[in-house]
Amino acid sequence: DVELEPLPRVIGSVHAGGQPIAAALVELIAEREEGSLVKNGFPLRMDTERVSWGKTNADGSFALDVDLDASQRIYVRVAVKGSDFATSELGPLSVATATGGPLEFELTPGGMIEGRVIHADGRNGEGVIVGINCGDGGARTLRAGPGGAYRFEHLRPGKWQVVRRESAIYSGSIPLSS
């Protein structure tokens, strides 16, 4: 007889305004040494591939198996595509911590970054491409509008890099380098 041990599981629930969120995407992503991988010209702090993923049940609950060493560090991310909720994230957590008990996510619309591009000579920056990055592989770009104004919405709390870009990021265009 052989007795197999089950894989550790990350369990938890996702809510918004106290209500469960069904079909939210929950991802486990391994931590990377910051700057060891670059995507679309921005440094990453997490891998580009998921360790595990799944969707929440009707009651907002989720359970994901983790086939990693207990000391490995991961991020747990929750996103609801096509909604006004910001991505929510915990981490980096050791696998041992992440599997130690239920994780709770309360989704919100998130925050925003807004500003105005002004050239060194004082001209407004209308049309300048502005990019933002938080190291998760989901960098965004947009062109500054009238008066050089720009605004990015539905952002998760945390550190964000804001830079002038020479080119926009288009979906389907994912140059990676290490």
Side-chain angles (χ1 to χ4, degrees):
D1 287 337
V2 174
E3 187 173 326
L4 301 176
E5 284 195 35
L7 288 173
R9 296 187 116 195
V10 174
I11 60 170
S13 62
V14 178
H15 295 84
Q19 298 299 310
I21 300 295
L25 175 64
V26 182
E27 303 172 294
L28 306 182
I29 305 168
E31 179 183 39
R32 297 259 331 188
E33 181 180 336
E34 192 154 346
S36 66
L37 186 63
V38 174
K39 180 178 176 185
N40 288 315
F42 288 106
L44 299 179
R45 59 187 164 76
M46 61 179 61
D47 212 337
T48 57
E49 299 293 323
R50 303 179 280 210
V51 171
S52 183
W53 68 277
K55 300 259 181 154
T56 55
N57 299 316
D59 65 356
S61 67
F62 65 87
L64 301 173
D65 291 336
V66 185
D67 190 12
L68 292 174
D69 181 83
S71 64
Q72 174 74 41
R73 293 168 55 91
I74 60 172
Y75 290 89
V76 183
R77 291 179 20 145
V78 175
V80 181
K81 299 287 183 198
S83 76
D84 287 336
F85 296 124
T87 298
S88 186
E89 178 182 295
L90 290 175
L93 306 169
S94 70
V95 169
T97 299
T99 58
L103 302 176
E104 302 292 326
F105 290 88
E106 180 69 26
L107 300 182
T108 69
M112 73 178 98
I113 294 175
E114 63 182 341
R116 195 169 63 128
V117 177
I118 302 172
H119 291 281
D121 63 6
R123 292 178 299 122
N124 81 57
E126 183 172 349
V128 167
I129 299 170
V130 179
I132 62 168
N133 173 52
C134 68
D136 68 353
R140 301 187 213 172
T141 58
L142 58 72
R143 287 195 182 272
Y150 64 88
R151 181 179 178 141
F152 295 91
E153 297 180 322
H154 306 296
L155 305 177
R156 69 164 191 76
K159 294 180 183 179
W160 286 85
Q161 174 187 29
V162 181
V163 298
R164 178 182 180 161
R165 299 268 304 188
E166 293 302 316
S167 61
I169 298 171
Y170 299 101
S171 62
S173 170
I174 308 174
L176 291 174
S177 62
S178 51

